[in-house]
Amino acid sequence: MKKVLSLLTAVLLFVSMFSFVGASAEAINYLPATEEDFDSIVAGTYTPSIRDTVGFPALAVWAGVPGYPSDDEFWASGTLSFDTENFKYGTKSIKVVSSKQATCITVPLLVPASYFEAGKTYTFQAYIKTNKVMATETGAGLLVGATDEDHGAYDEFIAVYDSMSGTKDWTLMALPFVAPAHKTAEGKDVILKFEMQCWTCINGTTWFDGLAVVEGDSPVIDYNSLVSVNGGSTDTPAEPTPAPVAPTLNGEPSAWAKEEILKALEADLVPEHVNSNYTTDITRSDFCDLIIKMIEKKSGKAIADVIAGYADAKADVSFPDTDSANVIAAAKLGIVNGRSSGAFDPSANITRQEAAKMLALAAKVLGADITASEVAFADADDIYAWAKEFIYYVNTIGVMNGTSTTTPPNFSPLRTYTREQSILTVYRLFNAL
């Protein structure tokens, strides 16, 4: 049935007139439509706006595509029109009259998934009214699905409606769903399909009105509280501001690190030039880039403002072998130091105990008390005295763990530190503070 439903998606359509939408409130309507949109869709002259750049062919076009059903008995049989006498909001509703078994009139709006925050819950809602609807399978209802930018093999249902049949007055139907990732595993853009359907209705009449997608897992009952992305205007809708698209993996990290690296990318904690070659050792300079980006994200301030407000910040710092702003900032904050020669040695690798020190001192800059009780390690004799307090702290708060399953475990203080270890421990510190 999943395949049939996706193949039968037929009429590109915004539903409802949002002239009733209020101008201020916290609830956000992600799918505003205008009277002009509404009229041109049913007339067959609708051109997708900048809000849904994907587009979708009409029924007549689908019927001529090789491999798709062309039998009139199989395709939608009925009428799609306005009804200016039966409506919930505005001045009209969409009226669907079904007259043949296996009728499928699908009303989808295609929206790039990047308009929504991946992993966040939203609710797709609409008002539905039915009159003598007889259904062999599901009747009238809502569906949220996803496809890729090419409408290719990636095609899945995210949430499916509870259908209506018989004769019922305007009923608010709400369908919570969790927004998917913005890209497929193959790197293609994911497209969300918000659909209102009359599926396998033998006959009967269905009206649709009041389409909206709102934040949270509950519908908005008072439509006057909705704020459309174009301010409730009936002018041509403005382009909504897309949600930030999380960077994709540039290569394959170790299996144990992948999940946290993806979360770090979604949190925008990873500089682009560090987002690759995950299993290679990180350099001193790149680790500074990670640390400074995390401090800015966590504090909500530019690093210059962080330095200005940090009592222990050093006034003037310079190195003969690097002019990296992030290295200089980390040095001013006391997170890193130069070598005994006065150089910074930006391309050198760091050890696990050096990473522990920099992570702990970054936490201190952000206001954390980094004192911690002693932690037992099997290789404690290998840990330098200056590193112990920092290792105890990052281990205690779950940022850096041991390197063995023995009791007590090893810490391996002199082992070099990889990019993937750096990314996920910076992400852990970000969440721990």
Side-chain angles (χ1 to χ4, degrees):
M1 175 179 174
K2 171 181 173 182
K3 181 177 180 181
V4 173
L5 281 171
S6 64
L7 295 181
L8 290 178
T9 303
V11 185
L12 177 62
L13 175 52
F14 290 148
V15 180
S16 182
M17 301 62 64
F18 286 92
S19 57
F20 60 84
V21 174
S24 64
E26 293 183 358
I28 300 174
N29 165 31
Y30 288 90
L31 307 180
T34 67
E35 292 280 343
E36 182 179 0
D37 285 333
F38 210 63
D39 293 342
S40 64
I41 291 164
V42 176
T45 60
Y46 176 72
T47 300
S49 74
I50 53 179
R51 286 169 301 163
D52 62 322
T53 57
V54 180
F56 213 86
L59 176 61
V61 177
W62 274 117
V65 175
Y68 286 80
S70 58
D71 185 347
D72 289 341
E73 293 296 321
F74 189 81
W75 283 96
S77 178
T79 61
L80 178 68
S81 63
F82 291 129
D83 191 332
T84 57
E85 296 182 358
N86 290 283
F87 53 86
K88 183 67 177 178
Y89 294 106
T91 60
K92 66 187 86 167
S93 67
I94 284 288
K95 180 180 179 181
V96 178
V97 179
S98 305
S99 58
K100 190 177 296 185
Q101 187 173 4
T103 289
C104 177
I105 297 182
T106 299
V107 182
L109 174 62
L110 305 183
V111 179
S114 58
Y115 286 8
F116 303 90
E117 182 178 337
K120 188 173 184 177
T121 299
Y122 299 84
T123 295
F124 175 37
Q125 63 182 73
Y127 275 89
I128 303 177
K129 179 179 179 180
T130 57
N131 182 48
K132 298 180 180 179
V133 170
M134 297 177 62
T136 60
E137 203 165 331
T138 56
L142 307 179
L143 180 148
V144 180
T147 186
D148 62 35
E149 57 190 304
D150 299 323
H151 302 293
Y154 177 76
D155 193 16
E156 65 179 18
F157 292 166
I158 296 175
V160 181
Y161 53 73
D162 292 323
S163 61
M164 287 175 53
S165 58
T167 299
K168 296 181 181 178
D169 201 1
W170 290 109
T171 300
L172 178 61
M173 188 173 287
L175 189 60
F177 67 95
V178 176
H182 299 159
K183 290 184 179 292
T184 67
E186 295 74 26
K188 295 183 178 181
D189 291 333
V190 173
I191 308 302
L192 287 180
K193 303 185 292 184
F194 299 103
E195 302 182 0
M196 301 202 302
Q197 297 190 338
C198 284
W199 173 246
T200 59
C201 298
I202 296 175
N203 54 49
T205 304
T206 305
W207 293 264
F208 295 107
D209 204 351
L211 172 66
V213 175
V214 297
E215 294 184 3
D217 58 3
S218 301
V220 172
I221 305 301
D222 178 12
Y223 269 64
N224 290 318
S225 71
L226 290 173
V227 178
S228 74
V229 294
N230 65 328
S233 169
T234 57
D235 297 331
T236 302
E239 181 179 8
T241 301
V245 178
T248 56
L249 290 170
N250 295 319
E252 191 65 22
S254 300
W256 54 265
K258 185 173 183 178
E259 182 179 354
E260 285 182 287
I261 289 176
L262 285 171
K263 290 179 179 179
L265 290 171
E266 290 176 1
D268 192 25
L269 293 175
V270 187
E272 183 176 354
H273 65 278
V274 184
N275 183 30
S276 61
N277 301 317
Y278 304 107
T279 59
T280 60
D281 292 336
I282 196 166
T283 65
R284 285 163 56 81
S285 180
D286 284 347
F287 198 81
C288 287
D289 292 336
L290 272 171
I291 288 288
I292 296 303
K293 190 173 182 69
M294 185 276 293
I295 290 174
E296 288 185 317
K297 284 288 182 180
K298 194 66 182 180
S299 66
K301 300 177 182 178
I303 196 63
D305 294 330
V306 174
I307 293 171
Y310 190 59
D312 296 331
K314 301 175 184 178
D316 296 310
V317 174
S318 64
F319 298 105
D321 54 349
T322 182
D323 58 0
S324 166
N326 287 336
V327 169
I328 300 301
K332 285 185 176 182
L333 292 169
I335 295 172
V336 294
N337 298 308
R339 302 298 197 190
S340 58
S341 64
F344 182 73
D345 201 5
S347 298
N349 299 325
I350 64 172
T351 63
R352 285 175 53 81
Q353 64 184 0
E354 288 172 335
K357 177 182 178 179
M358 287 185 270
L359 289 165
L361 291 176
K364 182 178 180 181
V365 168
L366 289 166
D369 179 359
I370 64 172
T371 57
S373 300
E374 181 177 352
V375 179
F377 291 104
D379 55 356
D381 290 343
D382 296 334
I383 300 174
Y384 291 179
W386 57 260
K388 290 183 177 181
E389 63 175 312
F390 306 123
I391 291 173
Y392 299 157
Y393 172 72
V394 295
N395 180 262
T396 299
I397 65 172
V399 170
M400 288 184 72
N401 300 317
T403 59
S404 69
T405 58
T406 59
T407 303
N410 290 316
F411 186 78
S412 304
L414 303 180
R415 185 183 297 177
T416 54
Y417 214 51
T418 63
R419 284 188 168 201
E420 60 189 8
Q421 290 170 328
S422 303
I423 292 170
L424 67 87
T425 50
V426 165
Y427 170 72
R428 289 175 186 173
L429 182 62
F430 177 80
N431 287 325
L433 295 177

